[in-house]
Amino acid sequence: MGKIFNRPEALTDAHTHYCPGCTHGVIHRLVAEVIDELGIRKRTVGIAPVGCAVLAYNYFSCDFQEAAHGRAPAMATGIKRVRPDLVVFTYQGDGDLASIGMGEIIHAANRGEKFTTIFVNNAIYGMTGGQMAPTTMPGQKTTTSPLGRDVSLTGMPIRMAELLSSLATPGYITRQTVITPKYINKTKKAIKKAFTYQMEGKCFSLVEVVSTCPTNWGMTPIEAVKWTEETLLPYFKLGEYKIPEE
Amino acid sequence: MAKVLMKGNEAIGEAAIRAGCLNYFAYPITPQSEVAEYLSKRMPEAGGMFLQGESEVAVGYMLFGASGAGERVFTTSSSPGVSLMSEAISYIACAQCPVVFVNIIRGGPGLGGILPSQGDYFQATKGGGHGDYHLLVMAPDSVQEAVEMVMKAFPLAEKYRNPVMILGDGLIGQMMEPVEFPEYLSSTPTNKDEWAANGMDTRKSDKPNLVKSLFLDPKALNDRNLLLKSKYDRMKIEEVCYEAYNTDGDYQALIVSYGTMSRVCRTAIDFLKAQGIEIGMIRPQTLFPFPEEAVSKASEKQSCKIVLSIEMSMGQMVEDVKLSVLGKRPVKWYGKCGGEVPNPEEIMDVIKEHI
Ligand SMILES: Cc1ncc(C[n+]2csc(CCOP(=O)(O)OP(=O)(O)O)c2C)c(N)n1
Ligand code: SF4
């Protein structure tokens, strides 16, 4: 009997450090499958963020650089401007991209930099132990909003896909999730589209992936999926927000 | 090549191109914005790349990314801008990427002023960003020397895989002087395929390259710091540069001064010589590594009663001078830092006061 399921070539055989039920691992796999299918592993440079995915370079078998918190889009800009032939992607969390690195992502998107961002939105700071993120939901308890996020003090969660879509510069901006197989397939298609737009030199591309953080949400993996569906998805609506004109 | 009359900032931009650096990222700030203005036209003409980043924070990482991908890259800025780049400089130093920074210093702290100063000596030579690291720091005293240092900076950055900083001041950037560009000695980084994240298919090995600064294992981090230290130790042996002025005979005092300030000191020394007073000077051309031995030896001259650190800052270099002299002679500081450059008469008065 032939093998029907393999580890993508773009992934190493290292065990990931992600918590049980965390969807970071699924997203890694989708990115790797897309890299394999496009045959670009040897000319791809990934940029690892500061956040739970800081060790992403241990899991991907392509060149990597590691950015400071939030600065991955500037780094990707630097690489693409001097080596437009490379395929470059950043992999960033919501604390990384929507807080400390807000300026970098908006300007890179607005310049139409030809790289791809995988934006993992789990509504919390994972790596540092569950502090409030710009994407934390109203009333959501975190270690720095112990009584629940008070929007009169901290504002409403930032919707990055919508925000970036308001830029006049062409781009590919979409929001997906990976909580069930149906969504996983759609997310993979979106990631493939994002890389393809980059390779065609068309535009900046960003795939926001609504993800889970069972550990810091204080939930079982199953509860986390349910909470994502009931609480996050009605606010962070899935879909394609911006597509470049043909 | 014949001499041409050029403004310091423009000459710095031209020197980088002639040194084979065709990638420039920057953000405007007085008194060095002319570099970006000049290169926004010249880079495309030379087949190069210029991008105005959205902030110095971003520019720092554009440099990091480009350099990490194995390409030659540089930026120019001034004091508050360099403060913003300091985060990236710390990461770049740890990740061992060769990037050239030019700081045309203005008065500080804070927004300070826009006139010349040497107030960033500490920031440039002692770190600036977090952690244990050093830049190789060079300080020109003329437009000509600025050009030469910029051209030397790229091969040095690549030799050490370490950031190099050219520390000028507003005067070096703004004044016009005749310059002669040295013949461009073609050099390309030779070992980048061993380390740069430049795409696996550009190199023979099938091992992914990784440019990073995270070492969670304490031993690995200590090893990285020891590796960096060994580079700084090697710089101290191989890269120290200075000029000795009027130090052959006997002198009553030794001046240590660099950059624009040292030019004024030289004039004061010439005036005093005409009055029969001999003063020697050591002018560090590298601030890190600091010419400790030269200063130490020059201070030992029998006739030398005092060592004066004369700076356009509130006594920053004087600490390195003291560490070099090690108590063998009294060391005094004199300086100003509002943007006004002390004039030769003032320096003569200060010297006379002490001898
Ligand atoms: C300049 C800086 N500030 C703060 C930190 C600490 N820090 C590390 S990860 C992190 C939050 C990351 O959260 P997110 O980007 O949402 O990623 P996740 O861990 O949830 O995947 C913070 C605040 C840092 N490393 N650097
Ligand atoms: S802390 Fe949260 S985001 Fe990080 S690995 Fe664990 S579950 Fe995933």
Side-chain angles (χ1 to χ4, degrees), chain A residues 17-25 51-53 120 122 124-130 211-217:
Chain A
H17 67 285
Y18 300 114
C19 308
C22 173
T23 41
H24 263 305
C52 281
V120 181
N122 57 15
I124 205 158
Y125 285 8
M127 185 203 212
T128 39
S211 185
T212 60
C213 181
T215 301
N216 288 303
W217 293 353

